[in-house]
Amino acid sequence: MDKQQKAIFNRTERLLGAQAMKDLGDVKVIIFGVGGVGSWCAEGLIRSGIRHLTMVDPDRVCITNINRQLMATSSTVGKFKVEVLRDRLLDINPGADIQTIRSIYSADNWEDFRLGEYDYVIDAVDSLKDKAHLILKACESGAVFFSSMGAALKTDPTRIRVAEFWQVRGCPLAAAIRKKFKRAGTLPAHKFLCVYDDEVLPNLGSEVHGCNEDCSYCPKGREIAFDSEDRNKAKAVVNGTTAHITGIFGFTLCGLVIQDFCRRMKG
């Protein structure tokens, strides 16, 4: 760690120790989805001393992302999320090794991501079908896996929790994934922790999307839809979200990585 790195992470090193900071710099993390949850997780990891980070997301910044996504501003609308976020993270730590992949994870391309090469795999994916597949493959990879459940339709930060996937209660997304696994007769290879919140509020505002009808930046076809697993048949569901909830979800995922790393350091 050079002089600049030592200065950047002085406060973290005081807490974790010099050896931990050195080893943390060798940890490899991949995040799937850098939207409202994943973007804050990515920043937390880089500010904590993670140097090797791969971010996977196919989308460009849309004006409707500005209310909750870290890299979304009026000046970044239309730019690829992973590229804008990479630039910000490198401004935080110029010595970081940040890889970007402008792609969506799916059953068709999952092998391209070589999950077994990472120490940690983080799921912040929206699509039910793709999320379920990632859970299965990440749990087979040998990497430590953490997942975000649904962060929309919530305002109460005190109800955000961490629990093992099969113990999550009150989250429609977790329930839908468990149902999918049971119906298919295929279960994750091991238990894993999730960030979730059992609050489910109704949408009270207008159903108007908020941006131009011809906006090409929005993943309208990939919004979570619980009524169908077929992306072509599912009704798009655009739920309300808030910055403080998605931010806490993301920082909690980051915290799980750092906590797990420290626990392993202590043996």
Side-chain angles (χ1 to χ4, degrees):
M1 187 180 294
D2 61 25
K3 187 175 181 179
Q4 183 186 40
Q5 296 275 307
K6 291 282 288 185
I8 290 172
F9 299 110
N10 175 273
R11 296 298 191 273
T12 313
E13 183 175 316
R14 286 171 183 262
L15 177 64
L16 303 183
Q19 187 60 50
M21 291 307 301
K22 179 179 182 299
D23 293 346
L24 192 60
D26 295 329
V27 169
K28 295 182 178 180
V29 181
I30 185 168
I31 298 179
F32 290 92
V34 291
V37 173
S39 60
W40 299 97
C41 178
E43 172 138 343
L45 290 171
I46 292 299
R47 288 189 185 274
S48 297
I50 293 290
R51 290 185 59 249
H52 302 287
L53 178 64
T54 298
M55 302 184 296
V56 182
D57 195 299
D59 297 324
R60 296 175 185 263
V61 176
C62 170
I63 195 170
T64 61
N65 300 149
I66 293 176
N67 82 312
R68 69 197 183 283
Q69 299 187 14
L70 181 66
M71 64 285 158
T73 65
S74 296
S75 64
T76 62
V77 170
K79 298 179 180 180
F80 284 104
K81 292 181 181 180
V82 289
E83 295 180 357
V84 177
L85 186 54
R86 177 195 59 202
D87 292 344
R88 175 182 170 88
L89 299 181
L90 287 175
D91 200 29
I92 294 169
N93 180 11
D97 167 32
I98 300 175
Q99 303 298 317
T100 61
I101 301 176
R102 295 193 328 232
S103 177
I104 185 170
Y105 177 96
S106 72
D108 297 326
N109 67 355
W110 72 271
E111 292 180 301
D112 297 340
F113 298 105
R114 300 188 296 276
L115 300 181
E117 296 182 4
Y118 296 91
D119 299 294
Y120 293 91
V121 174
I122 298 175
D123 157 41
V125 172
D126 285 337
S127 163
L128 172 62
K129 182 178 181 180
D130 298 333
K131 192 179 196 75
H133 191 275
L134 174 58
I135 288 172
L136 293 176
K137 294 305 178 182
C139 288
E140 294 173 357
S141 69
V144 179
F145 176 62
F146 297 119
S147 179
S148 170
M149 294 293 108
L153 301 178
K154 308 173 193 309
T155 61
D156 185 351
T158 68
R159 293 173 69 165
I160 297 174
R161 300 285 186 270
V162 174
E164 196 282 316
F165 172 68
W166 294 100
Q167 300 304 314
V168 172
R169 296 292 180 266
C171 174
L173 178 56
I177 296 172
R178 286 195 295 261
K179 181 179 179 181
K180 177 177 175 60
F181 287 153
K182 292 176 180 178
R183 186 166 56 242
T186 305
L187 303 180
H190 59 74
K191 296 180 178 181
F192 60 95
L193 293 179
C194 301
V195 182
Y196 77 103
D197 184 324
D198 63 0
E199 182 180 30
V200 182
L201 299 173
N203 283 312
L204 299 179
S206 169
E207 294 183 2
V208 176
H209 191 265
C211 57
N212 297 330
E213 289 299 319
D214 60 350
C215 176
S216 61
Y217 308 143
C218 301
K220 297 183 181 70
R222 291 202 306 279
E223 298 287 350
I224 297 173
F226 299 115
D227 58 344
S228 174
E229 294 176 17
D230 187 335
R231 191 179 290 127
N232 296 319
K233 297 179 181 178
K235 178 182 178 182
V237 178
V238 181
N239 288 320
T241 50
T242 56
H244 64 283
I245 295 295
T246 56
I248 294 171
F249 265 61
F251 282 132
T252 302
L253 286 170
C254 167
L256 290 175
V257 172
I258 303 305
Q259 182 182 47
D260 182 80
F261 168 80
C262 291
R263 179 178 61 79
R264 292 172 186 272
M265 276 286 295
K266 294 177 181 178

